[in-house]
Amino acid sequence: MSKRLIIGISGASGAVYGVRALDMLAEIGVETHLVLTKAAELTLASEGLPNSTALKSRASYVHKIADVGASIASGSFKTDGMLIAPCSVRTMGEIATGVTSNLLTRAADVQLKERRRVVLMLRETPYHLGHIRTMAAITEMGGIIFPPVPAFYAQLESLDAVVTQSVGRALDLLGFEVKGIKRWGEDVGPVQ
């Protein structure tokens, strides 16, 4: 099987993380399966990013949010996991409860039940206790909560570089080696 990753984009601010993930994965030849929420389509527009039609051309496959019969809704469809970038609190909550209402959350639920990696680039703060308990539940299920926090040690000089660094680190957690990120001890800090 070739490398294959599901990319989900929810309606939280930071749709650029999902856009960048698609571009970085295309550069290394990874098959991507994209699913966008309706709120994500609004966020793309409000953040000045490519519209959903243009974005969809960057993915290998695109799945409709309501298509719960899509390939990515089945555990028999092998993948290397899933990245939700950005991930809203609502999306995280649905995944944590297993009560899913669309293909994005169903696909994440399937990845977790199959014991595959799921990385959530959670983009809403501050957190109340309910959010923290939901994050704990996701973690106990095998998911990874990965808020995109800037890596100041990398001395990144642009917002574009900050986004690339954050997405690159999230993809590290899924086993993908991508270009454009700085690593402590290799590119910055005490180089060994």
Side-chain angles (χ1 to χ4, degrees):
M1 177 184 91
S2 63
K3 293 289 187 179
R4 178 187 288 160
L5 191 68
I6 302 167
I7 301 293
I9 301 178
S10 76
S13 180
V16 68
Y17 294 111
V19 173
R20 182 64 43 82
L22 287 170
D23 291 343
M24 292 172 82
L25 291 165
E27 285 180 17
I28 60 170
V30 174
E31 178 182 302
T32 53
H33 288 257
L34 174 65
V35 60
L36 296 159
T37 65
K38 291 182 188 332
E41 295 193 30
L42 296 172
T43 302
L44 288 167
S46 68
E47 293 182 347
L49 294 166
N51 65 29
S52 61
T53 303
L55 179 60
K56 290 173 183 177
S57 70
R58 294 176 165 172
S60 308
Y61 298 92
V62 179
H63 303 278
K64 294 180 180 174
I65 192 69
D67 186 6
V68 293
S71 58
I72 62 174
S74 173
S76 66
F77 185 74
K78 288 190 155 197
T79 72
D80 294 292
M82 182 172 186
L83 172 65
I84 303 178
C87 183
S88 67
V89 166
R90 176 189 173 155
T91 296
M92 178 182 68
E94 281 193 29
I95 296 165
T97 63
V99 181
T100 61
S101 67
N102 59 48
L103 181 59
L104 176 68
T105 54
R106 168 67 184 161
D109 186 62
V110 166
Q111 295 307 297
L112 289 170
K113 83 174 180 67
E114 296 294 325
R115 306 302 190 260
R116 297 177 189 143
R117 287 267 168 112
V118 175
V119 176
L120 309 180
M121 291 185 83
L122 189 62
R123 268 290 299 124
E124 296 181 37
T125 60
Y127 307 124
H128 60 61
L129 184 57
H131 297 148
I132 293 167
R133 286 183 175 147
T134 303
M135 286 187 260
I138 293 283
T139 302
E140 290 168 349
M141 296 162 71
I144 299 170
I145 304 297
F146 186 90
V149 177
F152 293 108
Y153 68 84
Q155 301 173 11
L156 304 169
E157 297 182 7
S158 69
L159 183 56
D160 186 62
V162 170
V163 169
T164 297
Q165 183 77 16
S166 291
V167 172
R169 291 290 292 123
L171 292 173
D172 277 351
L173 295 169
L174 290 153
F176 294 98
E177 182 85 24
V178 293
K179 299 174 188 169
I181 65 171
K182 293 184 178 183
R183 298 186 183 281
W184 186 261
E186 296 175 17
D187 308 302
V188 293
V191 178
Q192 308 196 2

